């Protein structure tokens, strides 16, 4: 029986996917949310890729381990998979990250290798990377730990060791020229206020602008769908935390009304703007790949916009975690 296990974490803005390659032949486990955790944990089958509304942040209380399905209900799989809320060392306290790590089941603490991919870490963020390395070391003592950016995750999942242009279109957006699993060049995305073209937050912002300035006649439909009026929406954007996540949570409404000409044109323009403002410094002969929920759920207008801007679109993945695990299994040192 194999004795070496690998744990891989791929964190987005709202959730973190944890994959384990088990070190024995016990049946794979699947996560099930504990109702006492206030949705601190998300199960793959229960969490829509594009949430209708942003879930409330879990309270700052001692986290509980995931409950797991029995062998009878969960046949053996190549990997075990778990979900926690997203981890961002730039935005969350050490205490909060510790709580999230404690929600993982105890048996995976013996992993020999831990690879973490997420925003706010990697070579460009040495301080937060050191902090996250220490916290992961506490949770997984004795493991070899590697920490890379979410952009590196996209590059390796989309192109492996090959050359290409890897892009993220999720709550935010990002892009890079990659080669041999490394980021060679990056156009700064600048966040949802100054940039993030093509992202869920950008689309949500454009939708609200178009609705309340009379360019798209779906104002009543959106307010009914959200259960909010104009005043509440403005307060949610300007006076409460995580405005980018709230704006991105409007993407299911956009997807539902994609047959509306003005909505479709808005989405198309957003993707075209992403290409013009972010990809111009990369080699034109390379294939462009995408990861993220927005890319996966708006494939048709995305491919059309990229073609119109003169780019060849390659793979589009909603989530890179499983492909990343395959990358590490194939490139183990």
């Amino acid at each position: 029986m194999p004795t070496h296990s690998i744990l891989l974490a791929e964190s987005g803005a709202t959730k973190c996917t944890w994959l384990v390659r088990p070190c024995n032949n016990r049946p794979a486990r699947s996560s099930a949310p504990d109702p006492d955790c206030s949705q601190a944990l998300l199960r793959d089958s229960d969490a829509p890729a594009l949430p209708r509304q942003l879930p409330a942040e879990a309270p700052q209380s001692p986290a509980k381990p995931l409950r797991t399905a029995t062998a009878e209900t969960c046949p053996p799989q190549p990997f075990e998979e778990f979900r926690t809320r997203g981890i961002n060392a730039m935005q969350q306290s050490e205490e909060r990250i510790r709580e999230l790590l404690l929600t993982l089941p105890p048996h995976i603490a013996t992993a020999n290798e831990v690879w973490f991919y997420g925003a706010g870490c990697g070579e460009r963020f040495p301080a937060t990377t050191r902090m996250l390395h220490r916290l992961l070391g506490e949770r997984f003592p004795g493991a070899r730990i590697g920490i890379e950016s979410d952009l590196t995750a996209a590059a390796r999942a989309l192109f492996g060791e090959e050359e290409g242009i890897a892009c993220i279109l999720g709550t935010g957006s990002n892009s890079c020229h990659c080669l041999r699993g490394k980021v060679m060049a990056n156009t700064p995305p600048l966040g949802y206020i100054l940039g993030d073209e093509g992202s869920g937050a950008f689309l949500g912002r454009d939708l609200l602008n178009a609705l309340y300035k009379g360019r798209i006649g779906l104002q009543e439909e959106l307010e009914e769908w959200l259960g909010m009026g104009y005043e509440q929406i403005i307060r949610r954007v300007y006076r409460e935390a995580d405005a980018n996540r709230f704006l991105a949570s409007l993407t299911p409404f956009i997807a539902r009304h994609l047959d509306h000409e003005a909505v479709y044109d808005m989405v198309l323009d957003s993707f075209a703007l992403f290409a013009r403002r972010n990809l111009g410094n990369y080699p034109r002969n390379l294939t462009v790949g995408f990861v993220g929920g927005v890319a996966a759920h708006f494939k048709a207008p995305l491919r059309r916009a990229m073609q119109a801007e003169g780019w060849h679109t390659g793979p589009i993945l909603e989530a890179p975690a499983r492909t990343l695990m395959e990358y590490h299994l194939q490139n183990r040192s």
Side-chain angles (χ1 to χ4, degrees), residues 18-162:
W18 300 79
L19 284 183
V20 186
R21 181 175 182 261
C23 61
N24 56 36
N25 291 328
R26 84 179 136 208
R29 303 172 185 237
S30 64
S31 59
D34 189 318
D36 295 331
C37 285
S38 301
Q39 296 187 13
L41 307 173
L42 302 174
R43 187 173 66 187
D44 188 34
S45 59
D46 293 340
L50 295 173
R52 186 181 184 278
Q53 290 180 314
L54 181 69
E57 180 70 11
Q60 299 287 335
S61 58
K64 298 182 179 181
L66 294 109
R67 296 180 300 172
T68 55
T70 64
E72 289 75 21
T73 61
C74 212
Q77 300 292 331
F79 306 121
E80 299 182 69
E81 181 170 347
F82 306 92
R83 294 280 182 90
T84 66
R85 286 192 171 274
I87 294 175
N88 188 321
M90 289 286 290
Q91 299 176 359
Q92 294 166 322
S93 67
E94 292 190 25
E95 179 184 2
R96 180 57 177 153
I97 295 174
R98 277 196 185 95
E99 288 183 356
L100 292 173
L101 293 176
L102 284 172
T103 63
L104 293 165
H107 77 274
I108 69 173
T110 58
N112 303 90
E113 291 184 45
V114 177
W115 289 92
F116 184 93
Y117 292 89
C121 57
E123 292 183 358
R124 296 182 64 179
F125 303 95
T128 54
T129 299
R130 284 194 298 270
M131 183 262 283
L132 188 56
H133 193 283
R134 177 166 47 80
L135 296 178
L136 289 170
E138 294 174 4
R139 187 66 178 88
F140 306 100
R144 172 192 174 192
I145 296 172
I147 300 175
E148 298 284 358
S149 69
D150 53 351
L151 200 53
T152 301
R156 292 176 176 179
L158 290 166
F159 297 104
E161 296 289 288
E162 302 300 320

Side-chain angles (χ1 to χ4, degrees), residues 2 9 29 36 74 104 106 166 191 237 279 289 300 322 330-331:
R29 303 172 185 237
D36 295 331
C74 212
L104 293 165
V237 172
L279 306 186
R322 288 183 176 268
Q330 294 171 12
N331 294 278

Side-chain angles (χ1 to χ4, degrees), residues 196-211:
D196 273 3
E197 298 85 2
S199 70
F202 192 93
L203 288 170
R205 187 190 69 182
D206 272 9
L207 175 69
L208 293 179
N209 184 285
L211 294 186

Side-chain angles (χ1 to χ4, degrees), residues 169-193:
L169 291 183
T171 300
S173 67
N174 210 342
S175 66
C176 73
H177 170 207
C178 61
L179 177 64
R180 293 186 291 276
K182 296 186 178 296
V183 174
M184 309 301 292
N186 166 241
T187 301
L190 299 181
Y192 75 102
I193 293 177

